[in-house]
Amino acid sequence: MTKLPIRTVEKPWGKDVLPAPFTAPEGQRIGEIWFEPPTDVPSLLIKYIFTSEKLSVQVHPSDEQAAASGETEATGYGGKEECWLVIDAEPGATLGVGFTGDVDADTMRKAALDGSIEDMLVWHPVKAGDFFYIPANTVHAIGAGVSLIEIQQNSDITYRLYDYGRPRELHLDKGIAVSKGEVLAPALHKHIPDHGTVELASGKYFTAHRVEGVPDAAIRSAYPGPLLVIPRQGEVRLGGEVLRPGDCASAPGLDALTLPADGQYILVRAA
């Protein structure tokens, strides 16, 4: 097992007070904590995201779209699918995912230019335990007052459609070309109970479970090889190395880990 190096990223929309076990350095607003992808699971990236303001309305292409447009050749990145598990939310916090109804490309462009696209999204009220899967081509935005774990394809291709007047580049042509103007499928949003083992995602690019206690046979069969582990409660061990909440590590397999009988952790593997 290798404990993954952490990259702490300051953002103007970040927080100066973070949920436990994290602490923001004095005078800094931390927006993201990244775990450097390991060589045995290079296709996945794990982040914590903390917001005090709304993030841009944005969209990501699929692998096929990134390749067809030349993005993959130019940047080295493919498309991006991702999922979010909310770990803390202030009163009134929301996530914008999908539209309230069908939206065509011309309407989406006009709405992006005049800002009304913000009001066309479905802003889901959220609390700790809410989970969203965000397929490529899904228009989305993270609202203010949210802390979440993001599991994603290791890609940095993001097309901003609207940014609340901030002086950052928009990508309307590329973004609208890959955006689906539709409602998020209800099956892609659920609430995770406080206790128990729950499947988070099982798709084309990654599988993820929130596991409580010692993994059963079904979980063991779902994770036959290299994986990532994210402790949420209790300690995960390999030999003399200890992982605690706030850490993330790679392991060659479940048998390499000593997992807490009275704790919780997230397992992730590439599909």
Side-chain angles (χ1 to χ4, degrees), residues 132-146:
F132 292 79
Y133 191 92
I134 315 294
N137 313 129
T138 303
V139 178
H140 60 278
I142 299 176
V146 179

Side-chain angles (χ1 to χ4, degrees), residues 57-91:
V57 177
Q58 58 185 242
V59 68
H60 310 296
S62 67
D63 279 351
E64 295 77 13
Q65 290 164 338
S69 66
E71 289 275 24
T72 301
E73 183 177 0
T75 67
Y77 291 113
K80 185 194 291 189
E81 298 209 346
E82 60 193 358
C83 62
W84 298 333
L85 177 61
V86 178
I87 60 170
D88 188 66
E90 298 173 12

Side-chain angles (χ1 to χ4, degrees), residues 45-49 80 82-85 142 148-152:
L45 176 64
I46 307 297
K47 297 180 185 177
Y48 284 83
I49 297 177
K80 185 194 291 189
E82 60 193 358
C83 62
W84 298 333
L85 177 61
I142 299 176
L148 57 82
I149 297 172
E150 180 175 277
I151 302 167
Q152 62 160 91

